[in-house]
Amino acid sequence: MGVPPVLSFGTCTDTGRLSVLVSAIANALGVDVPALPVAVTAPQFMEQKATIDAIFALAFGVMTHVSPMPPLVGGARLIKLLSEDLEGITGGKLLLEDDMAKSC
């Protein structure tokens, strides 16, 4: 069906485990993390911990999908950094999409 393999790491401390695994794969292949075909998703975002996990994944350089769209509040520079500028800095890119078929 063309669905890529999925590893469920949950949240919180499991996010650290994901970063160790992805870093090891990137190092073994001799590439940076953003070059890997890896994505993080929170398809039922409902709590603040998911926000922190998403920000971590963006900073780590990974495509990050969040749904439904969380409230984006705070300083204009922070919102611009997270939603637009981070891809050029870390390689992480934010994908806000409620239709799961479109998010693939």
Side-chain angles (χ1 to χ4, degrees):
M1 295 189 74
V3 176
V6 175
L7 299 175
S8 177
F9 278 83
T11 60
C12 298
T13 59
D14 291 339
T15 303
R17 292 181 186 128
L18 173 65
S19 68
V20 170
L21 173 64
V22 171
S23 294
I25 293 169
N27 288 338
L29 295 174
V31 300
D32 291 332
V33 168
L36 296 175
V38 174
V40 170
T41 185
Q44 294 178 326
F45 161 81
M46 298 168 99
E47 58 187 42
Q48 295 166 340
K49 290 189 291 182
T51 302
I52 298 304
D53 290 335
I55 291 171
F56 170 82
L58 289 168
F60 191 54
V62 176
M63 163 69 80
T64 304
H65 167 254
V66 178
S67 176
M69 184 171 156
L72 294 176
V73 297
R77 289 175 39 198
L78 176 61
I79 292 170
K80 184 175 184 301
L81 172 67
L82 294 175
S83 63
E84 297 174 28
D85 299 340
L86 212 54
E87 184 175 8
I89 299 169
T90 68
K93 183 174 182 178
L94 181 62
L95 172 63
L96 300 170
E97 178 60 61
D98 291 336
D99 184 331
M100 294 303 116
K102 289 181 182 177
S103 68
C104 294

